[in-house]
Amino acid sequence: MAGGSGGAMRSVFWLLGLAALAVALALLVGHNEATLTLFWPPYRFDASFNFVAFCLIAGFVLVHAALRAFAVLRELPAQAKRWRSQQVERSVVAAVMDALSHQLAGRFVRAQSAAQQALDQLRGVPQGHWPRRDQLQLLAHLLLAEAAQSLQNRERRDENLQAALSPELSKSVPEAHEGALLRAVHWAVEDRDPDGARARLAELPQGASRRIQALRLRLRIARLGGATAEALETARLLAKHRAFSPDASRSIVRGLALDALREAHDLAQLDAFWGSLDATERAMPELALAAARRANQLVANEPDREGGHVRVRSWLEPLWTGFEALEPAQQRLLVLALEPGLAGMDAAGLARLEHVQRQSPQNGYLQYLAGQACMQRQLWGKAAQLLGMASHSLSDPALLRRTWRALALLAEEREDDVAARAAWKQAAQLD
């Protein structure tokens, strides 16, 4: 509406101006009887003033038209050159678009041909001739390198990658240069070359190295190179930036933490890594159980074995409050992790175990663990009662075998040979 009203106002002003000009001309030449006399000795020329004014105006118009025509003639070669340049530019853009389309469609040979065609056409065009000439050249080299990577032609890929990363092109199109570096990192990861990938990643500017795409590549490089701690830290950053769904982030972090726990060589390293986890990660049952299992494996080589068992109990402490929420497999692992340290369990720990067992009196795992704890403290009657119930509740062969062995030892303790032989027989049948 505003544009239409503005155009109407301009039309009205033009009409008023033309009317004013017509009135002025009418007043000037309508009844003008003036004459103009020109002397060229010995001649004299008399002409009407109106005729002279008309000739001057007509001469000005003719001279102006002639000059315009001459300028147009002079511009013809430049226009022809500009037209040819535009045709070449359109052809290059079309070739680059064809190369991209073929690359996305999986037609790598055709993509190579289209990108090479674009580069051949660009050879005769001086650098900086078009506003986006350097960008088109870099993209053509990059598409050619991408197609060569898909065809496992690493020599041609590296050749075009170096051309795309040349200082002349990188300086004029820094964004495309960063994209080429990211693709180079991706190719190095595909070739399982972590050192080369790290070298390319280090060439990225500081801002680009913090982008999600760069962090994803850094995660893959760390996992490829076995740098579990770096991979875990990068996965946390990606989760913070919501690069993955919450479930995927939890799964990735959990998997990397499990790898780090398995790689711990001694209790000090295991304890240090456990301390580096945040509260949310330490609350994951999988991580707590894995840390306890690894600690039990390492405690045999440690002079302070009881200190290792104390760590295990402290790490598993949060799991007691939600014992019933644990899966049966996790309950079994919890029992197996706590059993080696039953001899050193203090009164408070034993009381907590009995409290949890009373809350779930039919749980075979808790019956077994509480019975073994009572047996360690020579509470023979209570141990026999709990282990007897566990022998009917447990279905796990390994724990059931240990249960019957413990019942056999208890029977021998009270000199009941018949019960001892029966218990040993049951244990032997489970071997």
Side-chain angles (χ1 to χ4, degrees):
M1 294 295 293
S5 61
M9 290 297 296
R10 283 193 295 271
S11 300
V12 170
F13 286 135
W14 271 106
L15 289 175
L16 291 176
L18 290 175
L21 180 62
V23 171
L25 287 175
L27 291 176
L28 179 64
V29 301
H31 300 285
N32 190 357
E33 298 179 357
T35 60
L36 183 64
T37 301
L38 299 176
F39 292 95
W40 187 270
Y43 303 105
R44 172 182 171 180
F45 300 96
D46 293 325
S48 170
F49 177 81
N50 292 343
F51 177 74
V52 173
F54 174 78
C55 289
L56 289 175
I57 294 173
F60 174 78
V61 171
L62 288 175
V63 170
H64 179 72
L67 291 176
R68 291 282 296 177
F70 182 71
V72 169
L73 289 175
R74 290 187 61 185
E75 281 291 320
L76 283 178
Q79 289 181 359
K81 184 177 180 181
R82 187 162 52 250
W83 181 84
R84 288 193 297 268
S85 176
Q86 289 176 350
Q87 293 300 111
V88 174
E89 183 179 8
R90 290 173 182 172
S91 179
V92 171
V93 171
V96 171
M97 292 178 67
D98 288 342
L100 179 59
S101 300
H102 291 316
Q103 181 67 30
L104 294 176
R107 298 176 174 178
F108 305 123
V109 176
R110 293 188 181 185
Q112 273 190 335
S113 301
Q116 188 61 54
Q117 179 185 355
L119 290 174
D120 293 339
Q121 292 176 335
L122 283 170
R123 284 197 182 95
V125 181
Q127 192 169 1
H129 185 69
W130 306 325
R132 295 186 178 272
R133 187 263 182 201
D134 296 340
Q135 186 178 21
L136 287 171
Q137 183 177 358
L138 192 150
L139 289 176
H141 279 299
L142 193 58
L143 286 170
L144 190 55
E146 185 77 46
Q149 169 68 13
S150 302
L151 295 172
Q152 297 300 307
N153 189 347
R154 291 182 174 81
E155 182 179 355
R156 192 172 189 184
R157 179 203 68 186
D158 294 338
E159 176 186 350
N160 283 276
L161 179 61
Q162 291 302 321
L165 295 177
S166 62
E168 297 81 8
L169 297 178
S170 303
K171 187 180 299 183
S172 56
V173 278
E175 296 83 4
H177 172 70
E178 294 170 4
L181 284 175
L182 287 173
R183 294 309 300 164
V185 175
H186 181 77
W187 297 333
V189 171
E190 287 185 350
D191 294 342
R192 305 191 67 81
D193 179 15
D195 295 333
R198 288 183 186 278
R200 289 296 187 187
L201 197 62
E203 297 179 26
L204 281 172
Q206 187 175 5
S209 62
R210 293 196 296 266
R211 295 171 189 162
I212 290 180
Q213 180 65 18
L215 290 176
R216 286 177 183 268
L217 290 171
R218 189 183 299 278
L219 174 61
R220 295 182 62 183
I221 294 169
R223 299 186 71 173
L224 182 62
T228 308
E230 180 186 356
L232 180 59
E233 186 63 29
T234 307
R236 288 168 177 163
L237 284 175
L238 286 169
K240 181 180 178 181
H241 289 93
R242 299 181 180 178
F244 307 112
S245 65
D247 292 338
S249 299
R250 177 184 174 90
S251 177
I252 293 172
V253 170
R254 182 175 61 243
L256 291 171
L258 289 174
D259 291 340
L261 290 172
R262 284 191 291 267
E263 293 172 2
H265 299 297
D266 51 45
L267 281 176
Q269 183 180 4
L270 183 63
D271 192 39
F273 176 74
W274 182 260
S276 67
L277 299 177
D278 58 33
T280 305
E281 294 166 351
R282 286 196 294 269
M284 294 182 182
E286 300 90 343
L287 296 186
L289 292 171
R293 184 168 60 252
R294 184 56 180 163
N296 287 329
Q297 293 171 354
L298 296 172
V299 75
N301 302 323
E302 294 289 334
D304 182 17
R305 296 187 179 185
E306 185 53 37
H309 294 316
V310 171
R311 289 190 183 94
V312 170
R313 288 195 292 271
S314 65
W315 297 343
L316 297 178
E317 181 70 25
L319 300 185
W320 282 116
T321 57
F323 183 85
E324 286 298 324
L326 297 177
E327 298 176 359
Q330 293 175 339
Q331 293 179 0
R332 176 182 178 275
L333 292 175
L334 177 59
V335 168
L336 292 176
L338 288 171
E339 185 179 3
L342 287 178
M345 182 178 289
D346 55 10
L350 184 60
R352 187 183 304 108
L353 173 58
E354 292 178 345
H355 175 70
V356 175
Q357 194 274 323
R358 284 195 298 269
Q359 286 183 332
S360 304
Q362 303 302 321
N363 190 293
Y365 295 118
L366 291 176
Q367 292 168 355
Y368 168 80
L369 190 62
Q372 291 285 10
C374 292
M375 188 173 176
Q376 291 286 342
R377 284 158 179 77
Q378 299 182 358
L379 302 174
W380 313 121
K382 192 170 184 180
Q385 179 186 2
L386 291 170
L387 291 172
M389 291 189 295
S391 67
H392 299 289
S393 303
L394 289 174
S395 58
D396 182 80
L399 291 180
L400 196 55
R401 183 169 55 251
R402 296 183 190 181
T403 301
W404 283 112
R405 286 178 178 176
L407 287 172
L409 293 174
L410 289 173
E412 290 178 352
E413 185 68 29
R414 64 176 182 269
E415 299 180 354
D416 189 348
D417 296 335
V418 176
R421 283 195 299 270
W424 282 118
K425 183 178 180 181
Q426 291 288 344
Q429 290 176 351
L430 293 170
D431 286 339

